[in-house]
Amino acid sequence: MSSNTSVLRPGDNLPPLEIPVTRTLIVAGAIASRDYQDVHHDAELAKEKGSPDIFMNILTTNGLVGRYITDHLGPGATLRKVAIRLGAPNYPGDTMTLTGTVEQVEQVGRAGPGGGAATVTVTVEVVGANSIGKHVTGTVTATLPARGGHI
């Protein structure tokens, strides 16, 4: 989904994104990020270590948070900073719902002759919750080209 940033204002809520937390997502995310800790792919060893099942790693969560923002802001968005903190684990069979609230929108530069290209910097507070609580909280800052010289 692409958003027209000319209508983004601090306090605006982004539409939620529901992500089914499957065993495949957890294992594939761990493999893709080269995180071979057994708690991300071996249910029996995870249980031996005190977890009820395997759980999602932070790098997969980080990628999903980034996807949430770029899906909303569109293909011209560039993530500049992703600062997240994990809370409740994401276990298979649950759903994580990502939500976001725009904290700040700032135009940088001026479009036009001699002014270079104007960009917009957007900061969004993100929360990802599942059935046991908040899995992830944090902020994401992204830049994108200004459309028509408006924020």
Side-chain angles (χ1 to χ4, degrees):
M1 167 170 64
S2 179
S3 173
N4 181 351
T5 57
S6 65
V7 298
L8 281 180
R9 299 284 180 251
D12 287 351
N13 293 317
L14 304 186
L17 174 64
E18 290 188 0
I19 300 171
V21 181
T22 65
R23 196 167 294 278
T24 300
L25 175 62
I26 293 170
V27 173
I31 291 169
S33 61
R34 301 176 63 113
D35 183 346
Y36 303 117
Q37 290 190 38
D38 50 25
V39 293
H40 303 308
H41 65 85
D42 188 319
E44 291 307 313
L45 288 174
K47 288 175 185 173
E48 284 179 21
K49 293 183 176 182
S51 178
D53 206 337
I54 62 173
F55 54 90
M56 186 177 286
N57 72 353
I58 192 170
L59 295 172
T60 302
T61 300
N62 196 60
L64 292 170
V65 167
R67 170 195 160 196
Y68 175 60
I69 298 300
T70 58
D71 279 0
H72 182 72
L73 296 180
T78 301
L79 298 178
R80 297 296 180 187
K81 181 178 180 183
V82 179
I84 62 171
R85 174 178 229 145
L86 291 183
N90 263 341
Y91 293 118
D94 210 341
T95 298
M96 177 175 64
T97 302
L98 289 166
T99 57
T101 303
V102 176
E103 289 187 336
Q104 184 176 6
V105 180
E106 177 183 13
Q107 185 164 333
V108 179
R110 297 187 67 192
T119 60
V120 175
T121 300
V122 180
T123 302
V124 180
E125 180 182 328
V126 177
V127 174
N130 59 34
S131 66
I132 55 178
K134 292 179 181 178
H135 169 68
V136 62
T137 56
T139 57
V140 178
T141 302
T143 57
L144 55 155
R147 298 179 192 261
H150 298 285
I151 298 178

